[in-house]
Amino acid sequence: MAVLPIRIMGDPVLHAPASPVDEITDDIRTLVADMFETMDAAPGVGLAGPQVGVGLRIFTYSYEDDEGKPWRGVILNPELWMRPLVPGDPDPDDESEGCLSFPGERFPLRRSDSVLVTGTDLEGDPVRIEVDGWRARIMQHEFDHLDGIIYVDRLSDADWKTAQKIARKRGWGRPGQSWTPGIDDLEA
């Protein structure tokens, strides 16, 4: 297993829809193992294939709730259904999120409170996950990556402008930018 470089906003793979996984091969299994290692090293609660430069519809997730109960897995070729968003502005204390592809920053973003995700696991078996709260946020965030959307693309106008200023200041927003957990001094 290896910790992979994480692409930063502006890399073309992050801004294009990912392709389906046609076959579960040893290369796919190795990629998923590397994604888990990278996600844990970052540390993050999710990681999508495009974030490590692989334009495939795969994401990993890992979250420990307030009671210490772990929730961890991988989904290939996911589909997402969600409840409509509650109208209004997001609460900056309860609805802020960050991203390993826009490291070091957090912005408020309204997400659906409840989602259903289906897909397959590494054995090719069906996966069906119905979650709410923070877990629903993770699923939506990672699913967005598979459609070429970074969470800063969904921010309010004012926060989007702030994110763009940060990106310009850090030299992001162009191809080839990445960071490697454990090597570079960045984290989400």
Side-chain angles (χ1 to χ4, degrees):
M1 293 192 309
V3 174
L4 304 171
I6 298 173
R7 305 297 174 94
I8 293 176
M9 177 194 134
D11 195 289
V13 73
L14 292 172
H15 304 285
S19 300
V21 175
D22 293 327
E23 181 181 359
I24 301 170
T25 63
D26 287 343
D27 287 343
I28 294 294
R29 288 183 182 87
T30 299
L31 171 63
V32 169
D34 291 347
M35 287 173 65
F36 274 116
E37 188 166 340
T38 303
M39 177 181 65
D40 293 343
V45 296
L47 188 67
Q51 290 182 276
V52 293
V54 179
L56 292 175
R57 298 189 75 78
I58 302 172
F59 69 76
T60 57
Y61 58 90
S62 182
Y63 178 71
E64 191 172 294
D65 66 17
D66 294 337
E67 298 165 3
K69 183 179 176 186
W71 179 68
R72 189 170 173 90
V74 59
I75 302 177
L76 285 64
N77 300 325
E79 293 187 30
L80 173 85
W81 292 268
M82 61 185 176
R83 286 192 184 151
L85 297 178
V86 174
D89 293 329
D91 180 323
D93 294 325
D94 295 330
E95 295 179 283
S96 287
E97 61 188 70
C99 180
L100 298 175
S101 291
F102 199 90
E105 302 298 327
R106 296 183 68 77
F107 290 97
L109 179 63
R110 178 64 44 100
R111 297 274 191 185
S112 177
D113 290 336
S114 178
V115 299
L116 165 65
V117 180
T118 62
T120 59
D121 64 16
L122 272 181
E123 304 307 316
D125 295 328
V127 172
R128 179 185 169 92
I129 300 173
E130 288 186 67
V131 289
D132 58 11
W134 192 251
R135 289 180 175 107
R137 179 176 294 277
I138 294 167
M139 295 284 115
Q140 292 166 83
H141 182 109
E142 298 311 323
F143 188 85
D144 272 354
H145 278 298
L146 304 181
D147 286 340
I149 299 168
I150 298 178
Y151 91 110
V152 295
D153 297 334
R154 295 193 179 276
L155 298 177
S156 69
D157 287 343
D159 286 338
W160 184 85
K161 287 177 185 175
T162 300
Q164 297 307 307
K165 286 179 186 176
I166 291 167
R168 277 192 303 278
K169 182 179 178 182
R170 294 185 182 165
W172 299 345
R174 54 184 164 57
Q177 299 296 303
S178 67
W179 70 283
T180 304
I183 294 175
D184 298 313
D185 189 22
L186 298 172
E187 61 183 59

